[in-house]
Amino acid sequence: MARGDGEVVISKELPNAFAGTALPDTLQGLGAKQLIFVGFMTHMCVSASVPAALDLGYRSTIVAGAAATRDLPTTSGGVIDAAALHEASLAALADRFAIVVDKADQLPA
């Protein structure tokens, strides 16, 4: 997908999108107060960035249907199914850090 005119692209090297990037300054320059999160992986990048957003004073919404994760091996030799991990990650974030909606058409006004 091509970048649109005037669209800002911020690269990151860590799971938390705010760590070591221009994102905090960019959002402050835009006067943003509310953020919408989508992406891969729910258990890592989304789960690292959403609490950081709260710490920085943002209100966050996660679109569950536009986020995903993968199966993870457990330390005991089992596997945590991606769907279960996704749901557990979203439940943890919804407990304090964000509003979680299923689809973009359910975003709060």
Side-chain angles (χ1 to χ4, degrees), residues 8 12 16-17 21 77 92 97 107:
V8 176
K12 68 182 189 70
N16 174 355
T21 70
F97 300 104
L107 289 168

Side-chain angles (χ1 to χ4, degrees), residues 3-11 22-23 25-27 30:
R3 180 178 2 168
D5 289 341
E7 191 171 83
V8 176
V9 175
I10 298 172
S11 297
L23 184 58
D25 292 336
T26 301
L27 293 173
L30 293 170

Side-chain angles (χ1 to χ4, degrees), residues 9-23 40-41 44-46 48-49:
V9 175
I10 298 172
S11 297
K12 68 182 189 70
E13 295 183 19
L14 297 168
N16 174 355
F18 296 93
T21 70
L23 184 58
F40 190 77
M41 296 185 286
M44 186 177 297
C45 297
V46 176
S49 300

Side-chain angles (χ1 to χ4, degrees), residues 23-106:
L23 184 58
D25 292 336
T26 301
L27 293 173
Q28 186 175 27
L30 293 170
K33 302 291 182 207
Q34 298 182 38
L35 304 179
I36 299 168
F37 284 86
V38 301
F40 190 77
M41 296 185 286
T42 317
H43 79 278
M44 186 177 297
C45 297
V46 176
S47 289
S49 300
V50 171
L54 178 68
D55 291 345
L56 294 170
Y58 295 102
R59 289 174 296 208
S60 298
T61 301
I62 303 166
V63 181
T69 197
R70 61 181 174 88
D71 293 347
L72 283 185
T74 66
T75 57
S76 62
V79 174
I80 300 174
D81 174 71
L85 182 58
H86 179 69
E87 287 298 315
S89 298
L90 292 172
L93 291 168
D95 190 43
R96 172 63 179 100
F97 300 104
I99 294 168
V100 178
V101 298
D102 289 326
K103 299 177 187 175
D105 63 1
Q106 298 169 323

